[in-house]
Amino acid sequence: MSLFNRNKTIHKYKGIVLPFKLVNFMKYRLVAYIFSLVLTSLCVFCIATKGFNWGLDFTGGTVVQTHFSQPANLNKVRDILRDNHIEGAVVQTMGDVRDVMIRLPAAAGNAKVGNKIQMMLTEEDPNLQIQSVEFVGPNVGKDLTDSAIYATFATLLLLLAYIGFRFEWRLGAGAIVALAHDVLVTLGVFSFFQIEMDLTFVAAILSVVGYSLNDSIVVFDRVRENFRKIRRVDTIEIVNISLTQTLARTLMTSITTLFVVIALFTFGGPTIHSFSLALLVGIAFGTYSTIYIAISVALDLGLKREHMVPQKVDKDAIEELP
C-alpha cells in the first residue's frame, strides 16, 4: 500500500468498494420531490405575477454613460431628468461614484440624446463628459427575445434526443425534467428580485444547462456501468451505489466552480452581475437536481437493468426455429 493510501478507510457494501459509506439517496426522493414542487410552483407564481425586468437588449432603449468630475449625486440627477420630462430613467453608478449610467426607455431616446443629457446636467457638473451613447431599437429587442426562447427550447429538445439515443429514454426524460427545474428556479430568482435580464443572462442559462447535463451524464454512465458489473443488487441499490461513487467528484467540481462564480459576482462589476448570479443559482441547484431529479425521475419511470444492459441472444435457439 502506498504512503498516500496507508490511512485511508475502505468502505464496502456487499463486497463493493466505495469511497464513502453507502448513502441511501433514494430514501429521501419523495421529500425532494415535494421540495422541488413547492419551489417551482413559487417560481411560476412569481413569474406570472411579477414578470421579468427585461434589459435594453430585449425592450429597446438608450444607455448613456457619463463621467462626472466629482462624486455624483444620483438623486439630484434623477430630479433634473424628471424636471425635463424624462420619465422612467434608471440612474446608477458603474463601480465608480463618478461614473454614472443613465438608462432611458425607447421613447425617450434619439440620436441627440447624449447632447441633451449633457446640457441638462451642466448645472450639476459643468465638466460632465458623455463617454458613450448606445441605442437598441424595440424591433431588435423583440427579435432577441424570440431568438433566446427558441435557442433554449431547441437546446432542451436536442439534449433529450441525444440522451435518449446515448443511454435510454427514461434517463433522457429525467435529465430534461432536471434541466427544466434548474432553468425555472433561476428564472424565478430573477423574477422575485427583479434583476435585470440581458443577453449575458441567456448565455448563463445555456451554460447552466450544459453544466447540469454534464453532471447527469456522469451519473448515468456510472449507473450503466454498475448495471453491467454488479448482478446481485436491485435497481435502487445500483442507483445509490452509483451516486455514492460519484459524490466526491460532483462535490469537488461544483465547489471549485462556485468559487470562480462567486469571485466573478463579487469582483466582476455590474456588467456581468446577471451572468454570474444566474450561474451561481443554476450550478447550486444543478448539483441537487442531478441527484434528486434526473436519476430519481428515471427510476420512478421504471428504469431496470434490462433497459441498460443489452440482452444476450441464444444463437442455438434461433437456428432451431423453423
Side-chain angles (χ1 to χ4, degrees), residues 2-312:
S2 68
L3 176 64
F4 296 102
N5 296 327
R6 185 170 298 168
N7 298 321
K8 185 177 180 180
T9 303
I10 298 177
H11 301 278
K12 289 188 176 183
Y13 177 77
K14 294 185 178 181
I16 304 166
V17 178
L18 299 172
F20 310 102
K21 291 184 66 175
L22 182 69
V23 181
N24 190 359
F25 289 100
M26 295 298 99
K27 178 181 178 180
Y28 305 102
R29 71 182 187 276
L30 180 59
V31 177
Y33 284 160
I34 295 174
F35 169 74
S36 293
L37 181 61
V38 171
L39 180 63
T40 53
S41 298
L42 290 174
C43 291
V44 171
F45 175 78
C46 188
I47 293 170
T49 55
K50 300 187 69 172
F52 298 112
N53 180 16
W54 298 106
L56 293 180
D57 291 334
F58 298 105
T59 62
T62 305
V63 176
V64 181
Q65 295 185 6
T66 64
H67 178 76
F68 287 75
S69 60
Q70 56 190 356
N73 186 335
L74 299 185
N75 290 329
K76 191 170 183 181
V77 172
R78 295 187 184 101
D79 292 339
I80 293 173
L81 294 175
R82 195 178 300 112
D83 292 341
N84 284 272
H85 309 292
I86 297 181
E87 302 292 339
V90 177
V91 181
Q92 61 190 58
T93 57
M94 301 185 298
D96 191 312
V97 293
R98 294 180 299 175
D99 293 329
V100 177
M101 179 174 64
I102 302 173
R103 304 170 66 87
L104 306 173
N110 55 51
K112 299 181 179 179
V113 68
N115 294 331
K116 291 182 179 180
I117 294 293
Q118 189 169 21
M119 292 175 61
M120 293 175 191
L121 300 180
T122 300
E123 61 180 271
E124 172 66 12
D125 185 353
N127 298 317
L128 173 74
Q129 296 178 4
I130 301 298
Q131 294 183 321
S132 66
V133 178
E134 298 178 0
F135 177 75
V136 178
N139 291 332
V140 176
K142 184 179 183 305
D143 291 341
L144 291 174
T145 304
D146 294 340
S147 299
I149 294 173
Y150 295 151
T152 303
F153 278 105
T155 300
L156 293 177
L157 290 176
L158 290 174
L159 291 177
L160 174 60
Y162 166 75
I163 299 176
F165 173 78
R166 181 71 173 79
F167 293 96
E168 208 270 340
W169 72 266
R170 294 169 180 83
L171 293 175
I176 293 302
V177 172
L179 295 178
H181 172 275
D182 300 340
V183 172
L184 188 57
V185 170
T186 306
L187 291 174
V189 170
F190 272 68
S191 176
F192 180 79
F193 291 104
Q194 286 295 290
I195 301 170
E196 186 178 282
M197 298 170 63
D198 52 22
L199 284 180
T200 61
F201 173 82
V202 178
I205 287 294
L206 296 179
S207 299
V208 167
V209 168
Y211 184 92
S212 181
L213 178 66
N214 178 67
D215 266 358
S216 298
I217 287 180
V218 170
V219 174
F220 294 165
D221 196 56
R222 184 56 60 92
V223 168
R224 180 173 60 182
E225 180 183 345
N226 285 335
F227 268 132
R228 294 173 176 175
K229 292 170 55 178
I230 306 171
R231 299 285 182 175
R232 55 187 179 277
V233 296
D234 59 23
T235 302
I236 291 182
E237 288 180 303
I238 287 289
V239 171
N240 284 327
I241 290 170
S242 302
L243 289 172
T244 303
Q245 289 175 331
T246 57
L247 181 61
R249 179 262 175 205
T250 299
L251 289 178
M252 289 302 297
T253 303
S254 298
I255 291 173
T256 52
T257 305
L258 285 174
F259 282 156
V260 176
V261 175
I262 290 173
L264 284 176
F265 180 78
T266 305
F267 305 109
T271 305
I272 60 171
H273 266 181
S274 60
F275 175 80
S276 53
L277 180 61
L279 285 180
L280 188 64
V281 176
I283 290 173
F285 279 95
T287 303
Y288 157 81
S289 66
T290 295
I291 297 173
Y292 280 115
I293 303 296
I295 193 64
S296 298
V297 168
L299 183 64
D300 290 326
L301 286 175
L303 182 68
K304 296 180 181 179
R305 184 187 303 276
E306 52 265 31
H307 299 146
M308 302 291 288
V309 180
Q311 300 297 310
K312 294 183 179 180

